[in-house]
Amino acid sequence: MQTRTKTSLVFTLILVVLAIYWLTPTIRWISMSEPERRQATMRNDPMIDHILKLGLDLQGGSYLVLEVKSTEGDAVERALEIIRNRIDQLGVSEPLIHREGENWIVVQLPGIKEPERAKELIGKTALLEFRLVNMEKTIMDVLDADGNIDEEKIPDGYEVLPGKGDRRYLIKDTSEITGKYLKNAQVEIGGQFNMPYVSLEFEKEGAGVFEEVTSANIGRNLAIVLDGVVQSAPVIRDRIPGGRAIIEGNFTMEEAHDLAIVLRAGALPAPVEIIQETSVDPSLGSDSVRLGFKASVIGFCLVIIFMVIYYQLSGLLASLALVFNLFFVLGAMSALHATLTMSGIAGLVLTVGMAVDANVLIFERIREELRAGKTVRVSIDNGYSRAFSTILDSNVTTLIPAAFLFQFGTGQIRGFAVTLSLGIVFSMFSAVVITHMIYDIALGGKPIKKLSI
Amino acid sequence: MQIKFPQQIRFINIRRIAYALSMSMVVLSIAGIANRGLNFGIDFTGGYLSHVQFSEEVKIAELRQVLESHGIVKPSIQTLGQDQSGYPVIIRIREHNIGNQSLEENMEVAFEELSRAKPVIKKIEMVGPAVSRHLFKQTLLAFSIAFLVIIAYVGWRFGGGMWGVGGVVALIHDVVITLGVCAWTGTEISVITTAAFLTLAGYSVNDTIVVYDRIRENLRCMYKSPLLDIYNCSITGTLSRTLITGVTTLLVVIVLFIAGGEVLHDFAFVLLVGIIVGTYSSIFVASPICYDFYSHRKFGQRKSHWPTKLR
């Protein structure tokens, strides 16, 4: 065996071993049954970190971009922390939350089935205030003849806030105490109608303030205002020591639960707005996986059939190179912790079509050399060496756009750029080095009369 | 199997016809872009897209009427036929005048009227104006820089001169015609189709480079032959490679087009058109431009490789 062949063989074996190493967790995961998977997740099996991850478009989930309506101080950082807290309590596995640009926060929630609920939970400012209700005037007193609010009739220091349903309240425009002093918030069930409610507990300072407010305003209504909406406005019957309060308001269990979460995590320093959303139902995701898999297999088979018809055994060799190529790409993606998205699958499929280009260039050269009457061995070696600079060129021209797509692209495009670039890089190896090595080994030292090409 | 080509096919000789064809295609494309405009997706315009699954067939007209009665302006509705789980429909909305309620809340209210068909929202895409502006800028930036880098690479690789120009003209030719086809067919230009355009740019340049490489090689080996023959032989010599790579790439793109699902449909369409145009241009546009230039002038970057008599 020539030294070149030996070196190629060693490199190929190293790459194959690495690819197998990186793909083993994924293959194990695919072959596991649903309960086994759940068990593995429960015991935090380290293999889970090494599975080839699917993008949100393939496994379902939500991708949200939030705009924080303030850039003062560390408002965005604080908002990010609070949102992270809330999401942690929602129990999403592997959420990704990061800041982007000046005042955007990107939230990725893989696998969630109820994007509405998550959005509600994340987007709520959760500014909790306790405000006194005006006892001299009722809402009726500030209405004009048509039933609209007459701004001029509102007493100084008061404002009208909506409540649940059609109710409106005339309440003070400053708060007695806010959610800032909260120590804990919890869902409880009980009361008159056995409904869920949220019980609040203030920390020491807050408890003192709360006691003062309640003792000074016995007999008045104290409105509990959440994000500018009055939840309820119970009468203060007595001084309340110990800093405990409850929020009632016809909640469902889920609503009460989520309210407790946002109150515990704290109010956002500024309102946030969801400015971009992509939510995919897991069922649609798995449909896409099937679709992508089918398209890849069909595309792959068609290319193999074509290559074998056109180049016979050499075509089969090129197809083998394709298999190696796909194997290496997927292995590298696992190693790099890259995610496979639908556009990534497109990149993979496209790689299959374009990666054979290297072999086509080589084979055409070999045929030319053979036609010119050279021996098989010389033709093969010339074919490889003469096609190489062209192959290099063609790969660079594909890599340039892929690199820019990766650098500037959003998630969707990045997946495509990653698979395409990896496919191109590995095709250099599999289509050039591996096929040449196989020719060398197969032809051995024997004099060959005819090449199946 | 082998396709037998003669030693040279006289591609260069019919270059004027090819120029005329290309020029008219380019003019038609620019007319299409100017006339019909490009159909930008919600990534770039902002808006809302939802993929809804109905359990029974809902008429487009009925769906439109229900949506419009809830303040949704000009919804674009696309039915995807029937699959095993029901009747999927894609609704695209660019604007709405709903006031207080969010678009999604309103959609939900609207869907309640269609509860008999059990609408299930399978996918939501919402892009706000700030994000769409950002995406548009970002994509335009990536696209232009990548383009410039490809052009610079071609220039560097071929030592400047007409070779670079030929490659770039072919590249612009391919992109403009593909854009024109998109304009005429109303194909959506989204972030993902932009990726297809960049891929196509790479493919086009690649195809041209293969032919150029052969021409430059033949300028050395066949220096006694007339320039015309050198060009024709080079194009013919690389023809089977050009066609076979075109075919294998087209095969997978056609598969993506047919079986890749809604997301990849337009992406595959752009590549489909682009690869056909790109293959054509590497034969009929890129090389003839160089030929015309170098056959008229005694001008070459590597003089020693050039025949003393050009014709």
Side-chain angles (χ1 to χ4, degrees):
Chain A
M1 221 185 266
Q2 292 175 341
T3 352
R4 189 190 61 209
T5 319
K6 277 184 196 152
T7 328
S8 310
L9 195 60
V10 169
F11 271 107
T12 310
L13 286 177
I14 292 175
L15 273 181
V16 168
V17 168
L18 282 177
I20 291 175
Y21 172 76
W22 285 111
L23 282 177
T24 310
T26 310
I27 294 165
R28 260 183 63 200
W29 180 259
I30 292 171
S31 59
M32 274 157 98
S33 66
E34 199 49 52
E36 281 177 318
R37 286 182 194 178
R38 236 172 291 141
Q39 263 180 18
T41 320
M42 292 278 275
R43 62 165 187 269
N44 257 330
D45 196 318
M47 72 175 261
I48 291 190
D49 285 338
H50 300 290
I51 299 171
L52 183 55
K53 286 188 188 56
L54 295 181
L56 293 182
D57 53 346
L58 295 183
Q59 64 162 313
S62 278
Y63 173 94
L64 304 171
V65 182
L66 310 166
E67 186 176 63
V68 182
K69 299 282 175 196
S70 159
T71 49
E72 277 169 33
D74 58 350
V76 181
E77 281 308 314
R78 273 191 295 147
L80 192 124
E81 271 319 301
I82 289 160
I83 288 172
R84 193 190 300 279
N85 262 328
R86 292 179 183 179
I87 291 171
D88 284 346
Q89 298 190 41
L90 188 66
V92 183
S93 64
E94 301 181 51
L96 276 176
I97 305 152
H98 63 91
R99 186 176 174 166
E100 198 173 276
E102 197 186 11
N103 58 340
W104 289 1
I105 294 174
V106 175
V107 179
Q108 295 183 56
L109 307 169
I112 64 159
K113 294 194 178 73
E114 302 166 286
E116 286 305 315
R117 184 176 165 207
K119 280 188 314 195
E120 185 72 10
L121 193 80
I122 294 166
K124 204 175 244 165
T125 310
L127 178 61
L128 180 72
E129 298 164 289
F130 288 81
R131 297 204 211 170
L132 288 168
V133 177
N134 189 314
M135 303 305 284
E136 283 85 48
K137 286 185 172 176
T138 68
I139 197 78
M140 299 308 270
D141 298 325
V142 298
L143 296 183
D144 61 18
D146 302 328
N148 293 323
I149 307 268
D150 185 348
E151 294 288 336
E152 294 191 355
K153 289 187 185 164
I154 298 176
D156 273 352
Y158 284 84
E159 64 180 330
V160 175
L161 285 186
K164 295 216 156 174
D166 291 334
R167 298 178 71 168
R168 284 176 292 190
Y169 295 84
L170 185 61
I171 63 176
K172 246 189 174 165
D173 60 6
T174 53
S175 49
E176 305 303 319
I177 181 170
T178 68
K180 205 165 72 179
Y181 297 104
L182 275 185
K183 187 167 131 197
N184 201 3
Q186 241 151 10
V187 185
E188 271 163 51
I189 298 181
Q192 230 177 320
F193 305 103
N194 219 24
M195 293 281 284
Y197 62 87
V198 178
S199 76
L200 307 174
E201 192 184 334
F202 290 103
E203 35 91 308
K204 218 172 154 202
E205 192 187 343
V209 177
F210 196 59
E211 192 173 343
E212 255 171 55
V213 171
T214 46
S215 65
N217 294 290
I218 291 174
R220 288 187 75 168
N221 291 64
L222 184 66
I224 301 169
V225 184
L226 185 70
D227 291 337
V229 177
V230 178
Q231 300 295 312
S232 59
V235 181
I236 304 171
R237 302 203 189 283
D238 206 348
R239 186 172 71 105
I240 308 178
R244 290 189 171 272
I246 60 168
I247 307 176
E248 281 179 322
N250 272 332
F251 299 123
T252 64
M253 194 62 202
E254 195 176 276
E255 281 169 350
H257 179 79
D258 290 351
L259 180 58
I261 289 180
V262 293
L263 289 177
R264 274 200 301 271
L268 293 177
V272 296
E273 190 193 342
I274 296 174
I275 55 172
Q276 187 185 5
E277 177 193 356
T278 306
S279 293
V280 176
D281 191 79
S283 69
L284 189 68
S286 50
D287 283 354
S288 298
V289 173
R290 264 196 299 279
L291 218 58
F293 186 71
K294 204 173 82 182
S296 314
V297 170
I298 297 176
F300 196 70
C301 290
L302 283 179
V303 171
I304 289 182
I305 292 170
F306 181 84
M307 290 298 280
V308 171
I309 290 177
Y310 202 80
Y311 293 113
Q312 290 142 28
L313 277 184
S314 299
L316 202 62
L317 189 58
S319 311
L320 190 68
L322 276 186
V323 177
F324 273 108
N325 193 19
L326 280 183
F327 190 53
F328 293 155
V329 171
L330 292 175
M333 287 185 69
S334 296
L336 295 170
H337 291 280
T339 12
L340 187 65
T341 59
M342 195 60 186
S343 68
I345 293 179
L348 220 49
V349 175
L350 204 58
T351 306
V352 169
M354 297 189 3
V356 290
D357 183 43
N359 283 119
V360 171
L361 282 164
I362 294 166
F363 293 164
E364 288 298 314
R365 281 291 188 172
I366 295 178
R367 281 181 169 181
E368 273 173 51
E369 300 283 312
L370 288 172
R371 248 179 267 142
K374 302 207 176 124
T375 66
V376 170
R377 181 161 303 279
V378 172
S379 300
I380 290 175
D381 286 343
N382 282 358
Y384 276 91
S385 59
R386 294 179 68 183
F388 187 74
S389 75
T390 315
I391 294 173
L392 194 66
D393 264 329
S394 75
N395 287 330
V396 171
T397 49
T398 315
L399 272 178
I400 294 172
F404 280 93
L405 286 175
F406 184 78
Q407 188 56 37
F408 293 98
T410 51
Q412 227 187 4
I413 281 202
R414 277 200 173 170
F416 172 74
V418 168
T419 51
L420 191 66
S421 326
L422 288 175
I424 295 299
V425 171
F426 284 113
S427 82
M428 288 281 279
F429 186 79
S430 47
V432 181
V433 178
I434 295 186
T435 58
H436 200 175
M437 175 187 83
I438 294 177
Y439 270 133
D440 282 345
I441 294 174
L443 301 182
K446 300 166 281 182
I448 300 293
K449 282 271 153 56
K450 208 171 173 309
L451 184 68
S452 173
I453 193 166
Chain B
M1 198 177 94
Q2 249 181 77
I3 309 168
K4 287 268 184 291
F5 295 116
Q7 217 234 335
Q8 54 165 303
I9 303 173
R10 308 204 152 269
F11 288 113
I12 296 289
N13 306 50
I14 54 163
R15 65 186 180 282
R16 302 230 152 75
I17 302 172
Y19 288 160
L21 181 65
S22 286
M23 285 304 278
S24 40
M25 290 287 280
V26 168
V27 168
L28 258 175
S29 298
I30 293 173
I33 298 166
N35 224 344
R36 300 175 53 110
L38 292 169
N39 176 19
F40 286 109
I42 60 163
D43 298 347
F44 296 142
T45 60
Y48 175 95
L49 177 151
S50 71
H51 188 130
V52 188
Q53 183 95 37
F54 290 105
S55 64
E56 58 179 83
E57 201 171 356
V58 176
K59 292 253 156 27
I60 292 185
E62 184 192 357
L63 190 54
R64 167 163 298 129
Q65 190 254 321
V66 169
L67 291 172
E68 282 179 345
S69 70
H70 284 85
I72 289 158
V73 182
K74 287 194 200 136
S76 130
I77 298 164
Q78 180 190 0
T79 52
L80 300 179
Q82 189 188 4
D83 64 14
Q84 60 270 47
S85 42
Y87 295 84
V89 174
I90 289 180
I91 301 169
R92 287 184 177 81
I93 298 158
R94 295 271 153 76
E95 46 180 323
H96 64 106
N97 49 11
I98 298 162
N100 291 335
Q101 272 187 313
S102 83
L103 179 60
E104 282 174 68
E105 283 167 342
N106 239 29
M107 293 280 283
E108 265 166 39
V109 178
F111 282 146
E112 271 166 29
E113 281 185 35
L114 296 164
S115 55
R116 66 178 163 82
K118 300 189 190 64
V120 180
I121 298 182
K122 291 275 186 175
K123 178 177 171 183
I124 292 169
E125 262 177 56
M126 187 277 288
V127 182
V131 175
S132 61
R133 272 197 303 274
H134 172 76
L135 282 175
F136 191 78
K137 261 202 308 223
Q138 194 91 334
T139 309
L140 200 65
L141 187 75
F143 201 70
S144 339
I145 298 180
F147 242 87
L148 289 178
V149 173
I150 291 176
I151 289 171
Y153 178 79
V154 176
W156 169 77
R157 179 66 176 74
F158 290 106
M162 228 26 219
W163 299 99
V165 177
V168 170
V169 168
L171 168 63
I172 292 173
H173 167 272
D174 298 348
V175 172
V176 169
I177 291 178
T178 311
L179 267 178
V181 174
C182 288
W184 284 112
T185 54
T187 304
E188 197 176 271
I189 307 293
S190 60
V191 167
I192 189 141
T193 41
T194 319
F197 271 99
L198 272 186
T199 313
L200 137 72
Y203 187 91
S204 158
V205 168
N206 175 16
D207 240 13
T208 308
I209 284 181
V210 172
V211 183
Y212 278 9
D213 264 357
R214 185 59 70 93
I215 294 174
R216 286 151 56 98
E217 186 185 319
N218 283 346
L219 283 171
R220 252 168 287 155
C221 322
M222 303 171 55
Y223 62 92
K224 280 184 184 144
S225 314
L227 197 58
L228 186 72
D229 289 354
I230 295 180
Y231 272 77
N232 279 333
C233 278
S234 307
I235 300 174
T236 316
T238 50
L239 189 61
S240 55
R241 176 268 156 193
T242 308
L243 293 180
I244 289 163
T245 301
V247 168
T248 56
T249 314
L250 272 185
L251 276 178
V252 296
V253 169
I254 289 170
V255 170
L256 284 179
F257 183 70
I258 296 170
E262 190 48 38
V263 183
L264 296 179
H265 198 264
D266 288 345
F267 170 86
F269 180 75
V270 170
L271 279 176
L272 191 65
V273 176
I275 285 164
I276 295 171
V277 180
T279 304
Y280 160 85
S281 78
S282 63
I283 299 171
F284 290 100
V285 179
S287 309
I289 287 179
C290 284
Y291 173 78
D292 270 330
F293 190 79
Y294 287 119
S295 62
H296 288 302
R297 254 184 239 192
K298 233 175 175 176
F299 176 87
Q301 61 270 43
R302 291 181 194 168
K303 280 225 164 70
S304 59
H305 298 149
W306 284 81
T308 39
K309 265 189 193 160
L310 282 172
R311 247 182 219 267

